[in-house]
Amino acid sequence: MSVPVPRLLLSVLIAAQLAACSSGAPVAEPPLAERADAALASPALSAPPPAVAPAAAPPARPMATGKVAHAVARRPAMPSLMAAPMPMPVPDQPSNERYGQISDNPIHRVAEAPVSTFSVDVDTGSYSNVRRLLNGGALPPADAVRVEELINYFPYDYALPTDGRPFAVHTALAPAPWNAQRVLLRVAIKGQDVAKQSLPPANLVFLVDVSGSMDSADKLPLLRSSLKLLVDQMRPVDRISLVTYAGSTQVVLAPTSGADKATIKTAIDGLRAGGGTAGASGIELAYRAAQQSFIDGGINRILLATDGDFNVGVSDTEQLKKMVEAKRRSGISLSTLGFGTGNHNEALMEQIADVGDGAYSYVDNLMEGHKVLVSEMSSTLATIAKDVKVQIEFNPALVQEYRQIGYENRQLRREDFHNDQVDAGDIGAGHTVTALYELTLTGARGAIDPLRYGAAVRAGDERPGELANELAHLRLRYKLPGQSSSELMETPIRRDAMKPLAQADADFRFATAVAGFGQVLRGGRYTGEWTVADARKLAAASLGEDRFGYRGEFLRL
């Protein structure tokens, strides 16, 4: 009878250890990295189990590869008083998790394309999902890493507005740590904060997926606990409804005052998983429930909590987006809360939140549920500015190239900036939004050859007055809640604002570290030899106050 390979390997190892013990001679252990490589090379560990072909996402990469392996190799060896245990196999990411395809923003020559336009993004789900994968021992697929969501996961101490507008805009410049020929431009937006007790009355509809796919500890049980955290924050003027969907849909709780917390929690505790996933029907019913208890001048929002695995009725992402887009005109917003592993459809969750004038968050543990639904409740529920668009025009006399870091699926056409019919991202109370550009100034070595027949622009070309010192000009458009016409903000970006990176504020340096980390996870196309160890070193020196410990947690990743 043949012996399975894993059992045979285990027997050989035990025999070797027993032989060493009986001889009194120490057993020479190879380095941990070599043993890990050997374990991964074993046919029993490297051969994947039979599985259905993945629907979208590629399998997760092993933890120690490429620049990440380089970073691990650079760590000093720690002395050990006992033999290290055999390494466990690196777990594979479930093959049917789905992510939208992302291609890194390209480098643009300012002489050919001087204007960059994009929509703001306040989603944070990519960071907590990447955290879940890294903590599970696997690198995320590149498409799971949206760098802007990693950056915007963290709060930053930007100055609040002082001119009566809903938010303030700040810019800063410093050299890029991964390329001496590049400069980083930071665009920072800080929303006016609103105390929880000052928020308008809220009409919230919890739309909960109770299908069979939600029957695991990291899904429905975590969802129930997270929603009850939000219930504890509700006021008597607030209303909560509960709608569920599986193979069919149901209103489990009619609109109930936030004062009646026991009734609301009892309804949440009664949720049980089973059946198919008629997500589209659930969304339809949730909008009807929200419309029936609509509060004029209040917060009217649906919180869709699911793994995104719609398999009954309408399940096509584009059809669902069109349905949600049509419903948002009623004044009811939709945000999504992602839960669980194995069949998580992040592509769907992010996109329907975008068109629903909401945000996408991924809840991988109860602390994240507390962050999204308690610590950041005001920004999660209350919108202070809608359809926020940013446009930057670069000065070709001072900037020869630019590349936006992240925001790949938030790019807009130049003409969209002034078109108030074009949807864009919303900003919630107290939100911070950060965007980074990598610039090549004139005189530095660029990545793209100039056009042979294009008009040459040289450093030092004359510009009238103040324009001679402007690297770029920033414009921003937004709508106040309830308005259909946008308002314009403008600010110049001056060359003399540049500082050495070491003298930049801690928020700038930390955001730069996170941006570099995210780019390395995506393959490091533009970060050269920069590694995760370099990102960690920069982040460790830029923790700032870190009141909630989020930055310290980033170091542990």
Side-chain angles (χ1 to χ4, degrees):
M1 180 178 69
S2 61
V3 180
V5 174
R7 188 177 301 172
L8 179 60
L9 287 174
L10 183 61
S11 301
V12 171
L13 288 171
I14 293 173
Q17 293 285 355
L18 290 174
C21 290
S22 63
S23 66
V27 177
E29 290 238 353
L32 178 59
E34 293 181 13
R35 289 186 286 116
D37 290 342
L40 289 171
S42 168
L45 296 181
S46 61
V52 179
R61 294 166 283 168
M63 188 56 132
T65 60
K67 292 184 176 67
V68 180
H70 183 204
V72 174
R74 288 172 55 175
R75 295 178 184 167
M78 298 296 292
S80 176
L81 300 179
M82 59 183 293
M86 282 294 293
M88 297 297 291
V90 177
D92 288 333
Q93 181 203 330
S95 61
N96 56 347
E97 294 194 356
R98 284 155 282 180
Y99 302 97
Q101 185 175 359
I102 299 174
S103 297
D104 291 335
N105 285 323
I107 297 172
H108 297 279
R109 276 191 60 80
V110 176
E112 301 162 23
V115 178
S116 171
T117 309
F118 69 98
S119 162
V120 300
D121 181 14
V122 296
D123 293 350
T124 61
S126 178
Y127 177 83
S128 47
N129 185 50
V130 165
R131 176 181 62 198
R132 182 258 303 182
L133 290 165
L134 291 175
N135 284 335
L139 288 178
D143 288 336
V145 183
R146 293 184 294 281
V147 179
E148 74 277 9
E149 294 187 27
L150 270 60
I151 296 170
N152 287 325
Y153 179 86
F154 301 93
Y156 299 98
D157 191 25
Y158 302 145
L160 289 163
T162 58
D163 57 0
R165 292 184 182 268
F167 48 79
V169 181
H170 310 281
T171 61
L173 294 157
W178 48 78
N179 190 331
Q181 300 292 320
R182 305 290 182 263
V183 168
L184 293 180
L185 163 64
R186 179 190 68 185
V187 177
I189 300 173
K190 175 64 175 180
Q192 184 66 264
D193 210 350
V194 179
K196 293 177 183 178
Q197 295 306 315
S198 300
L199 291 174
N203 166 36
L204 302 181
V205 177
F206 295 162
L207 175 57
V208 179
D209 180 355
V210 293
S211 63
S213 68
M214 295 291 288
D215 190 17
S216 64
D218 60 347
K219 294 187 179 181
L220 190 56
L222 176 58
L223 186 159
R224 289 196 297 257
S225 298
S226 298
L227 290 184
K228 287 190 289 185
L229 291 176
L230 178 57
V231 171
D232 285 336
Q233 307 302 311
M234 294 293 97
R235 305 159 299 176
V237 295
D238 301 323
R239 306 172 190 165
I240 292 179
S241 307
L242 180 59
V243 175
T244 63
Y245 66 92
S248 59
T249 59
Q250 180 183 2
V251 176
V252 174
L253 180 70
T256 302
S257 167
D260 195 357
K261 292 178 173 53
T263 299
I264 300 170
K265 289 183 177 181
T266 298
I268 293 172
D269 284 334
L271 300 177
R272 297 292 182 269
T277 316
S281 299
I283 292 173
E284 288 274 8
L285 182 57
Y287 272 107
R288 289 202 300 270
Q291 194 64 57
Q292 289 172 3
S293 54
F294 190 88
I295 299 176
D296 288 325
I299 298 169
N300 296 279
R301 186 175 296 272
I302 296 169
L303 294 177
L304 168 57
T306 177
D307 58 12
D309 184 25
F310 293 6
N311 55 31
V312 175
V314 177
S315 58
D316 177 72
T317 299
E318 290 304 316
Q319 287 183 270
L320 289 166
K321 285 170 60 178
K322 290 178 181 177
M323 181 178 74
V324 172
E325 187 174 6
K327 297 289 186 181
R328 75 161 182 246
R329 299 188 182 96
S330 66
I332 300 169
S333 303
L334 182 145
S335 294
T336 55
L337 303 174
F339 289 84
T341 63
N343 57 349
H344 180 56
N345 189 349
E346 190 181 66
L348 173 65
M349 302 285 286
E350 185 207 11
Q351 292 182 55
I352 62 174
D354 290 347
V355 299
D357 284 346
Y360 160 63
S361 304
Y362 178 79
V363 180
D364 57 334
N365 54 54
L366 193 57
M367 291 302 294
E368 185 65 18
H370 187 278
K371 176 180 185 289
V372 174
L373 298 175
V374 178
S375 300
E376 300 175 358
M377 187 184 84
S378 295
S379 53
T380 298
L381 300 182
T383 299
I384 61 172
K386 300 169 65 67
D387 294 338
V388 183
K389 307 170 190 174
V390 178
Q391 186 170 83
I392 301 177
E393 179 184 353
F394 293 98
N395 181 354
L398 300 178
V399 183
Q400 59 172 312
E401 296 171 347
Y402 67 88
R403 172 180 70 91
Q404 188 173 16
I405 300 174
Y407 291 89
E408 284 85 2
N409 59 3
R410 300 291 182 155
Q411 298 300 299
L412 298 174
R413 291 187 291 267
R414 182 174 176 178
E415 63 268 24
D416 291 342
F417 182 72
H418 291 294
N419 187 347
D420 286 342
Q421 301 304 310
V422 175
D423 185 55
D426 298 348
I427 292 180
H431 259 147
T432 57
V433 180
T434 303
L436 293 175
Y437 281 85
E438 185 183 87
L439 311 180
T440 306
L441 304 186
T442 51
R445 187 174 64 252
I448 304 175
D449 292 332
L451 292 174
R452 178 179 178 85
Y453 304 108
V457 179
R458 297 181 301 275
D461 279 1
E462 291 299 322
R463 287 291 185 274
E466 286 295 312
L467 296 183
N469 192 41
E470 285 188 13
L471 284 177
H473 190 74
L474 183 148
R475 302 178 183 90
L476 186 146
R477 282 201 171 275
Y478 67 94
K479 299 173 189 170
L480 293 173
Q483 292 188 353
S484 58
S485 297
S486 64
E487 299 187 25
L488 177 66
M489 296 176 65
E490 297 185 81
T491 184
I493 301 169
R494 297 170 56 86
R495 174 173 53 182
D496 55 17
M498 179 105 55
K499 294 181 178 180
L501 184 59
Q503 295 179 19
D505 61 72
D507 286 337
F508 189 115
R509 289 181 279 117
F510 187 81
T512 298
V514 177
F517 173 71
Q519 291 178 93
V520 170
L521 287 182
R522 286 188 51 78
R525 180 177 181 180
Y526 296 107
T527 51
E529 296 303 314
W530 219 62
T531 67
V532 169
D534 296 315
R536 189 183 191 282
K537 181 179 179 181
L538 180 58
S542 313
L543 293 180
E545 184 180 356
D546 195 23
R547 186 156 59 101
F548 299 104
Y550 302 146
R551 298 187 183 188
E553 179 194 61
F554 173 76
L555 294 183
R556 291 190 291 275
L557 288 183

